[in-house]
Amino acid sequence: MIRTIRNIQQSVSHFWKRTNPFSFSESQQLQLASDLIPFGVWEYDLHSGYIIWNQPMYDLLGIQQYEFDHTLSSFKDIIHPEDRSGIEDVIHQAIHYPNHQKRIVFRVQLSNQVVKYVRGNIKLIYNKKNEPVKLSGVCIDITRQKNIELQLKKERDKAELYLDSIEAMVVVLNKDATIRLINNAGCRITEYQEEELLGKDWYHIFPPPESRNESKETFLKIVNGEAVYLDYYERIIISKTGNEKCIAWRNTLLFDDHQKITGVLATATDITDKVKAEKESEAARKKYQDMFYNSVTPMMICDSYMRYKDVNPAACKLLGYSRGELLKMHVWQLTRPDKKDETIMLWTDFVATKYQTGTIELFKKDGKKIIVEYQATSEFTPGMHLSSMVDITDKKIADRKLKEQNEKLRKIAWMQSHEVRKPLANIMGLLALIDSQKTATMQEHVLQYLKQSSDELDQIIRDIIEKTKAVDA
């Protein structure tokens, strides 16, 4: 605007020099120019301290002519208190450093409390003796422009606040890959300060050295319309301290009013910890998977609906089913058909207690019954339950045989303590009787009883031998 005013002033001056023999002062020329475009014109006499305004100047500052006493002090009273010292500095510089053009923006507060923004320039005027005699200048109302600027600044500050408050990194790259904008999260992730990055080539700083040229070439092809950009991708960047970070990117192309690409808006999230956790989780999963499939202990995994979801080879070998066959079955299908309700109740208790041990009868594919001792853990991963088994069928059979043998031995012991003792007592009594009875008749009867008892004792001993053989078998 000031340049436009000066151009009009120069045109008016040139016109009057050609058409009028009289000479016009610069202030007169400014006054003529202000008739074409309404702006305030003023003069300040350095000797008298008297200030002259044209009518647009009064209108601009919102006061009547009678309210202004033409002094610098009265003028400063109109200016916003925070801008008065700035006016004094500009006037001082205009007088003492006349070769530098002086411009200023200041506020005036009108009587209705409305604040106007005014922009002006000042020039030192000399007389014919080349002595400074006055200051002259023009002022224009830039309130509307200033309000727009303030509103834009407010919106920009709000946008920057939003950008700096979010956790995601936001970067704007120009078409040449230089950094136009980066938010606080971006500085935190990259470990750089904003001033270290603005205007710098992204691809000279962040990609690993071995991929910088290729990454830069791909970017340039995208912004020149020679390649299609990816909405989402993951890339490694190198932070200021040399740390490798995995970043997930989402990009949007920026266009000007003519739909030409001007740059790229990129939002990014640091997924380094997530990727590391996934790798560790995958390593742990593989480790436990290897343990599961290579274990000699039969192991089975089922879901919350009692459906088998995975089984190891040892379980398939124990039960005689293939893995595919078992994965189509429910838990109760391996137990006795009449035990389904009992199995479901046992399962309910297991889910409630999170852990369970015990023995259960299962039936192999060929119908053979086996007895297993099991340990089960609920929710070892969400929704999945793990059980391991040991076949104790042979142990149970051995226990039963041992019990039967013990029963036979108990009977032998009873025979030894009761049945053997009876004929033995008889023999002992008969011997005592022989010793006390001296007659032949009595001895004959005693000998008959003695033989009978001997035969009984012999038979009992034979029975003990037979039972002992049975125990050994």
Side-chain angles (χ1 to χ4, degrees):
M1 178 63 81
I2 298 297
R3 184 178 300 173
T4 302
I5 292 169
R6 282 297 177 190
N7 290 338
I8 294 174
Q9 176 190 352
Q10 291 172 3
S11 298
V12 171
S13 175
H14 179 70
F15 170 77
W16 279 103
K17 284 180 180 179
R18 285 191 300 106
T19 61
N20 198 311
F22 301 99
S23 176
F24 287 85
S25 68
E26 184 167 349
S27 61
Q28 290 173 319
Q29 295 171 23
L30 282 172
Q31 181 62 49
L32 289 171
S34 70
D35 292 338
L36 300 177
I37 295 180
F39 57 88
V41 179
W42 59 271
E43 288 184 355
Y44 172 56
D45 191 292
L46 297 178
H47 298 293
S48 65
Y50 194 79
I51 297 177
I52 299 176
W53 290 350
N54 68 347
Q55 184 56 45
M57 189 71 177
Y58 285 100
D59 298 336
L60 174 63
L61 300 181
I63 61 174
Q64 302 296 323
Q65 291 190 21
Y66 64 84
E67 296 177 311
F68 180 54
D69 64 3
H70 302 280
T71 63
L72 184 60
S73 175
S74 180
F75 173 56
K76 288 193 294 185
D77 288 341
I78 303 170
I79 297 171
H80 193 283
E82 295 178 2
D83 297 340
R84 289 171 186 170
S85 61
I87 290 291
E88 294 173 349
D89 291 341
V90 170
I91 291 174
H92 176 80
Q93 292 177 14
I95 295 173
H96 294 88
Y97 305 98
N99 293 329
H100 296 86
Q101 188 174 17
K102 303 301 179 294
R103 293 180 180 178
I104 188 172
V105 174
F106 59 92
R107 291 166 292 174
V108 295
Q109 188 165 333
L110 307 183
S111 57
N112 58 2
Q113 302 304 311
V114 173
V115 174
K116 278 188 176 183
Y117 286 86
V118 177
R119 182 171 64 196
N121 66 346
I122 302 175
K123 185 177 181 181
L124 185 62
I125 306 298
Y126 297 87
N127 59 16
K128 293 181 180 180
K129 297 179 180 180
N130 202 32
E131 298 172 337
V133 292
K134 59 185 174 181
L135 292 173
S136 178
V138 294
C139 293
I140 59 174
D141 184 355
I142 61 168
T143 303
R144 183 173 179 274
Q145 175 186 339
K146 195 67 178 179
N147 286 337
I148 292 173
E149 291 177 0
L150 292 174
Q151 184 62 30
L152 291 174
K153 183 179 183 303
K154 183 178 179 181
E155 295 298 327
R156 184 175 64 250
D157 292 344
K158 185 188 295 185
E160 290 178 355
L161 179 63
Y162 291 155
L163 288 176
D164 290 336
S165 64
I166 62 176
E167 291 298 321
M169 172 164 60
V170 178
V171 180
V172 176
L173 299 183
N174 294 315
K175 199 172 180 179
D176 60 355
T178 54
I179 302 168
R180 188 193 312 176
L181 177 148
I182 185 167
N183 67 342
N184 285 345
C187 294
R188 184 182 69 254
I189 292 171
T190 63
E191 302 174 14
Y192 283 91
Q193 298 296 320
E194 181 183 18
E195 56 270 18
E196 296 179 282
L197 296 176
L198 294 181
K200 303 294 179 59
D201 190 316
W202 175 274
Y203 294 95
H204 286 174
I205 302 174
F206 293 109
E210 63 274 12
S211 64
R212 285 178 182 173
N213 291 336
E214 181 182 354
S215 299
K216 178 70 175 290
E217 289 175 4
T218 301
F219 173 84
L220 294 177
K221 286 181 180 179
I222 290 172
V223 296
N224 287 303
E226 300 172 5
V228 177
Y229 76 98
L230 298 175
D231 290 334
Y232 176 86
Y233 58 92
E234 297 175 6
R235 291 289 186 274
I236 297 294
I237 68 167
I238 308 299
S239 72
K240 185 177 181 180
T241 57
N243 295 320
E244 284 193 0
K245 297 190 176 185
C246 186
I247 308 297
W249 295 95
R250 292 189 180 277
N251 295 338
T252 301
L253 294 176
L254 301 177
F255 298 87
D256 60 16
D257 294 339
H258 303 289
Q259 293 303 304
K260 292 183 178 180
I261 298 174
T262 60
V264 174
L265 169 64
T267 58
T269 305
D270 183 357
I271 59 171
T272 306
D273 292 340
K274 175 176 175 287
V275 171
K276 180 181 178 182
E278 288 176 349
K279 288 181 178 179
E280 291 175 350
S281 176
E282 177 61 21
R285 188 194 67 79
K286 189 175 186 307
K287 174 183 175 182
Y288 289 114
Q289 187 180 56
D290 291 343
M291 291 173 59
F292 179 81
Y293 286 114
N294 296 324
S295 175
V296 296
T297 301
M299 304 176 76
M300 309 178 78
I301 298 172
C302 59
D303 63 15
S304 297
Y305 298 98
M306 301 179 69
R307 296 175 301 197
Y308 289 115
K309 305 305 290 184
D310 205 355
V311 294
N312 69 349
C316 296
K317 182 179 179 181
L318 174 65
L319 298 169
Y321 289 95
S322 69
R323 182 173 181 272
E325 289 172 326
L326 285 171
L327 296 186
K328 296 177 182 178
M329 299 174 67
H330 289 76
V331 172
W332 65 78
Q333 291 177 271
L334 293 177
T335 62
R336 283 172 47 179
D338 60 342
K339 296 286 187 179
K340 178 179 177 180
D341 291 341
E342 184 178 327
T343 303
I344 292 175
M345 290 181 62
L346 193 65
W347 172 270
T348 303
D349 292 339
F350 159 63
V351 173
T353 57
K354 305 297 183 184
Y355 183 78
Q356 192 177 84
T357 61
T359 59
I360 191 171
E361 293 181 352
L362 300 179
F363 288 86
K364 300 175 66 171
K365 184 177 180 179
D366 60 8
K368 182 180 178 182
K369 181 179 73 174
I370 59 174
I371 302 171
V372 298
E373 189 174 72
Y374 68 89
Q375 291 184 338
T377 302
S378 173
E379 299 283 344
F380 83 102
T381 61
M384 295 295 164
H385 317 287
L386 174 67
S387 63
S388 61
M389 302 176 292
V390 176
D391 183 2
I392 59 171
T393 306
D394 293 340
K395 177 176 178 294
K396 284 291 185 180
I397 293 173
D399 288 345
R400 186 173 65 251
K401 287 182 178 181
L402 181 60
K403 185 177 179 181
E404 292 172 353
Q405 290 174 346
N406 288 338
E407 180 62 23
K408 291 177 181 179
L409 290 172
R410 187 186 67 78
K411 291 180 179 180
I412 292 172
W414 186 87
M415 290 173 65
Q416 289 176 332
S417 63
H418 293 83
E419 296 183 16
V420 173
R421 186 162 184 78
K422 179 182 175 182
L424 181 60
N426 290 339
I427 292 171
M428 292 174 65
L430 291 171
L431 290 174
L433 185 60
I434 292 171
D435 184 57
S436 63
Q437 300 293 328
K438 305 300 183 181
T439 64
T441 303
M442 288 298 294
Q443 288 181 353
E444 183 179 352
H445 288 294
V446 169
L447 289 173
Q448 288 178 354
Y449 287 131
L450 183 60
K451 185 175 186 310
Q452 181 181 348
S453 296
S454 298
D455 292 340
E456 289 178 359
L457 182 59
D458 180 63
Q459 186 60 47
I460 290 171
I461 291 173
R462 291 176 184 274
D463 291 342
I464 290 173
I465 291 172
E466 290 298 323
K467 290 183 180 295
T468 302
K469 289 180 179 179
V471 170
D472 292 339

